[in-house]
Each structure stands twice: as C-alpha cells, then as structure tokens.
Amino acid sequence: MVSDQYISSVAPSPVLYFLFVFFVCVWFLRVYLLYRETLKRNKEWIGPRTLIGDETVFSQIFRPIPGISLGYDYPWLSKHNDYPSDGCDAYFMVSAFPVGYSSLWLSDAAAIKEIASSRLRFPKPVKLYKVLLIFGPNIVASEFDSWKRYRRMVASAFSDRNHEYVWYSASKLGVDLLDNVFKNEKEVVLDDVTEITLPLALYMIAIAGFGREVTFQHDGVVPHGHKMSFKAAIDIIAKDIFLKLLLPTFAFTLHPRLRKLQLAFEEIEEYIKEMIRERQTSTQEEGRPDLLNNLLEANGDSEIKGEKPLTDEELIANVFIFLLGGHEASSQALAFALAALSIHPDEQKALYQQIKQVMPNGELPRYEDIHLLAYSLAVINETLRMYPPVNASPKYCAEDTVITVTNASGSKKLVPVPKNTKIFLHITGVHYNPRYWKDPHVFNPSRFLADYPREAFIPFSSGSRSCIGRKFFETEAVAILSLIISRYKVSIKEDPRYAHETFEEKKQRIFTANIKLTLTAANQIPLVFTRR
Ligand code: HEM
Ligand SMILES: *[C@@H]1O[C@H](CO)[C@@H](O)[C@H](O)[C@H]1NC(C)=O
Ligand SMILES: *[C@@H]1O[C@H](CO)[C@@H](O)[C@H](O)[C@H]1NC(C)=O
C-alpha cells in the first residue's frame, strides 16, 4: 500500500501545475508567433501552409492529412499545381513545426540552374541521405572536399569505354530475354511489367557495373562459402532497404524477414569485398571496362598522382551506391516507358517504324550509331519528364542570399532567402510547368525531337551534383527498349473488371504512383507482348 503521505508529496502543488500550464501556453504562443513572423517575412511568396513541415519524419511516413501534413508524395502529386498560374515559379512552404520552418520550392528553370551550378552557396543537406551510409561514406551522402574526391574518382569509372560495354551487354541481355524468357512465343503475358524490368536493370548493373556473368537462364547460383546468391541478396535489399532506415540495429534479429535482410547486407558486402580482392590480385593487364574495374584502376593511379586513394570501406560504399542507384530508378523508368507505349499505340507505331528502319534484321546498330535510334531516346526522355524517378532535389542556403525568378510577363523578381533555408529543386514541378511544356500532361515523345527547353528537363538534376549514371542508363534503356519493340508489340492486358473504363481511367490505374526509394507504380502493370 502506498501511504497518503507519499501521494500528497508527489502530487503537483497548484503552483507547479499553474506554472506547467503557463509554460505550455507560452511555448505554443511562441510557436504561433514564429509561424506568423515566417508568413510575414515571406509574405509575397507564400505557398501551401501546414502544421507539420516537409523535413520531419512524420511527413516522410504519412500520406497527406489536410491541414496537418502534405505527405511524402507531395513533390509528385502536386506537380505544378501549387505555383500561381500568373506569377512566379517559386513559393515558400511554411509550417508551424519545426518551429519557424519554411522551405523554398522552385520550378523556374533558370533559378534551378543557378542553384545547381553554385554548389558552395547551395550545398546538399546530406543528413537527408543518412540511410545511404550503411556501408560507409560515399559520393551521394557527402559534400564538400570528401564529395569532390569521390566524384573525381567515380567519374573516371563512368568512361566512354564503359558506356560502350553497357551497350553491347544490354544487347546480349535483351536477346537473352527475347530468346530464353519470351522464347519468341506469339504471345507473352506478364501480370506485372517489373517481372522483367527489375531483373533487366539489376543484371545490367551486375554485368556492366561488376563484370559478373549473369543471364536470365543462369542466375541464383550460391557459390561456395555463401549462403545467398548475389542476385537474391540484391533483390532483398532493393525490396526492404527502407526497413533499415526505420528500425534500430537490434531489431534485425527479431523477425525472419529482418534476419534475411541483415544476411543480404552481409552477403553483398562479402561479395563486393571478394570482387575487389579478386581484381587487386589479378595479373590481367587490361580488364573489362566495368565500373568496378575502372574504379580500382583510377584508385591505383591516384597513388601515383599523389592523391589519397579510397580505403576499402570507401570503395565498398561507393560501389554499393552504383548498385542501388543503378537498380531502382532504371527499372521503374523502363516499366513506365513500356506502359506509356502500351496506352499510346500511335506513339508505339512511330517508334517501331524508326526501329525497323534502323534495325532491318532485328540487330542493334553499333554503339557509334546509337543516335540513329533517337525516337527510342525520345520515348525514354518523355517518360522521365512525366514520371521522374526522383521528384525533387534538396539543397540549402549556406548564406543569406536572393534568388532571381521570372514572372508570367517576363519581369525578373528577387526572392530573399535567409541562410540555412531548405530549397527544393522541384523536378516534377518544372516538368509539368506549362511555361516550358505545351500540354504537359500529354505523352508526346516527339517534342524531344524538335528544339526543347533543355534547362526545363532535369530528371537527373543538373549542375555538378547531377546524376553520374545518366549515360549508363540512357544507353541500356535505348538498347533494351529498341530490342523489345523490334520483335514485340506491347499492350495493356485486357481485364473484364476494367472492360468499361475510359482512357483517363485506364491512365489513372496504370500511372498512379508513390514515392518510395524512387517513384514507383502503385498498382501492378499487366502487359501483353505480341510477336510482330
Ligand atoms: C532513370 C535512371 C536514373 C535517374 C532518373 C537518376 C537520377 C538521379 C538524380 C536526380 C540524382 C541527383 C540526386 C540529388 O540531387 O539529390 C542522381 C545522382 C546520382 N546517381 Fe542517378 N539516376 C538514374 C540512374 C543511375 C544509375 C544507373 C547510376 C549508376 C550506375 C546512378 C548513380 C548516381 C550517383 C552515383 C549519383 C550521385 C552523384 C553525386 O552526388 O555526385 N544513377 N541520380
Ligand atoms: C534526351 O535527354 C538528354 C538529357 O537528359 C539529352 O542529352 C538528349 O539529347 C535527349 N534526346 C532525345 C532524343 O530526346
Ligand atoms: C510582372 O512584374 C511586372 C513588374 O513588377 C508587373 O508590371 C507585371 O504586372 C507582372 N506580371 C504578372 C503577370 O504578374
């Protein structure tokens, strides 16, 4: 039993109680006043207001809750809708929490270019990329001098010779798909397009990134000393990496799925270490120009040049980033491209006509002649415009500054931006900005075959921190798309459940998407491939 005396000694005295309520009220008042002040400071430039701001964990986890949070899909769902139609392509999003928080959103191509090309004034807020530090410091999750060192080294891995190797490897892999998975059958039905695009993107990075000999027929072998195949390990990581972000380390012993994820990480690390060891001890003079070989070569040369070479941990971490970067975005982009061609048969016909002309015998041209397949690249570009895998690129302001934007009648306006303000280069916002794109909601690849506003097309971001894998992706995508379309016509699988849907409803069903690691289709995309 607890004595009365004890209870009365812990019960708050009325004075303490009053003080507590008083301080809570003062705190809320302060939050409110700061919120008002932020609104006033940015008065000309106010966009959406919320209770809880975009940088909180809360907003990263939940869907939109009106008045409270805009949800993690905001950069995708809002497209260009929140920019005033007769004003400037810039607004501050203001929230009560974090206290005094506001972030600047931009869909003005010139302003974006200015920011992306002034890295020191507008660095990357690397703490948003913490999950990518799983294997150690790397090019994506670093800034300033360490980033510079990684970027220089990694850039020499993405060489012309590598891209040529991507082309011929993608060609072999595409033929492997058609001969051994589709088996050249009259009709091939897939319940979901990612059944092929995920392995395609994954194998491409395994082959041209790591020099592994993977094919559709021969995969999933578990080598001596391993508990999991290379492919299985990457599949698991790609699917579940977000759990690593959400859960503490000890959780990974608790559930079979988590233990498997943990094992996958250990296995991948072991595979990468083995590959590095193998290359370092090999006496071969000229290796294959895969990314890993190129990186190791550049690393060897750095010592000669008197630069600090990457440690094994840094090598592994950067190579892991290729795996991740090369996998998700590429597979989703290919999936959306095939889906878009399925619901736009006229576009597919135009594409096929060019392919047939360039590849009369069904074989890809030489790498030097890749430009002949311009329509394929235009389809890829238009897909990336409408469904950009990365929807916004975050920066922050290292100093108080002003950013120049242009209003609807062409006059320049200055947006004052205080030091440390978060800035979002709103990729989806620019891509749907009617100032740059006529009928932005219409899939029209040929807009890329004429003059188009290059600064308003930024799926790979722009400036010094733009995607280093752009050409790697373009090359594999053009090869694989051209090969598939050269032999097969692709369409959406008929389904009695959707017999009466309109074109818009179908578009809605197929292209509803969420932001995961990258933009991901929310529903399965069922496709039928019919032999030409
Ligand atoms: C459709 C395919 C792809 C898209 C849309 C894409 C998009 C992007 C974007 C937008 C960034 C900048 C991120 C930011 O500013 O926050 C980026 C960076 C990067 N990407 Fe990609 N990417 C793709 C494919 C690839 C591939 C295939 C690789 C490697 C094989 C790769 C490797 C990287 C790396 C290493 C960076 C960091 C560059 C740096 O910080 O200096 N990406 N990517
Ligand atoms: C596609 O976009 C890239 C930039 O990402 C550009 O270099 C290329 O010229 C474009 N090509 C076509 C055919 O659309
Ligand atoms: C753009 O700015 C100029 C100069 O301030 C102003 O005269 C004009 O009305 C503005 N146009 C629009 C559409 O807001």
Side-chain angles (χ1 to χ4, degrees), residues 175-188:
V175 170
D176 180 29
L177 171 81
L178 298 173
D179 287 350
N180 300 315
V181 181
F182 286 13
K183 299 197 168 68
N184 291 312
E185 278 165 12
K186 265 218 187 74
E187 190 178 278
V188 178

Side-chain angles (χ1 to χ4, degrees), residues 86 407-409 411 413:
D86 59 350
N407 82 0
S409 37
S411 300
K413 303 256 161 176

Side-chain angles (χ1 to χ4, degrees), residues 124 129 139-140 147 151 158 205 291 321-322 325-326 329-330 333 384 389-390 393-395 427 459-461 464-469 472-473:
K124 190 159 163 175
Y129 295 78
I139 177 170
V140 175
W147 168 78
R151 178 89 188 193
F158 288 82
I205 195 74
L291 298 177
I321 290 295
F322 298 164
S330 309
L384 293 174
V390 178
S393 171
K395 309 278 176 193
I427 295 172
F460 302 97
S461 191
S464 52
R465 293 217 61 161
S466 64
C467 181
I468 209 165
F472 189 107
F473 168 73

Side-chain angles (χ1 to χ4, degrees), residues 4-115:
D4 286 357
Q5 194 190 350
Y6 179 73
I7 289 176
S8 72
S9 76
V10 292
S13 75
V15 175
L16 277 177
Y17 184 75
F18 173 79
L19 278 177
F20 176 74
V21 171
F22 177 75
F23 279 117
V24 168
C25 289
V26 168
W27 184 70
F28 270 110
L29 186 66
R30 183 172 160 267
V31 169
Y32 178 72
L33 289 177
L34 270 166
Y35 174 69
R36 287 297 301 267
E37 195 185 304
T38 314
L39 283 177
K40 226 160 67 204
R41 172 159 41 84
N42 302 321
K43 123 168 135 277
E44 256 187 276
W45 303 100
I46 299 298
R49 303 181 219 178
T50 66
L51 186 65
I52 300 174
D54 54 70
E55 81 163 356
T56 57
V57 174
F58 187 92
S59 303
Q60 310 291 318
I61 295 179
F62 291 104
R63 295 179 152 270
I65 310 172
I68 300 202
S69 146
L70 296 170
Y72 57 84
D73 279 334
Y74 176 76
W76 160 243
L77 293 179
S78 64
K79 306 218 161 42
H80 191 263
N81 304 340
D82 285 347
Y83 298 90
S85 56
D86 59 350
C88 294
D89 291 311
Y91 57 75
F92 280 98
M93 186 194 287
V94 181
S95 61
F97 300 98
V99 180
Y101 181 80
S102 67
S103 55
L104 177 63
W105 291 70
L106 289 170
S107 66
D108 179 304
I112 287 177
K113 187 177 175 196
E114 184 197 338
I115 292 174

Side-chain angles (χ1 to χ4, degrees), residues 492-505:
I492 303 286
K493 184 182 164 192
E494 300 285 343
D495 184 329
R497 277 179 299 170
Y498 306 117
H500 301 293
E501 78 187 343
T502 62
F503 177 76
E504 283 305 320
E505 284 164 350

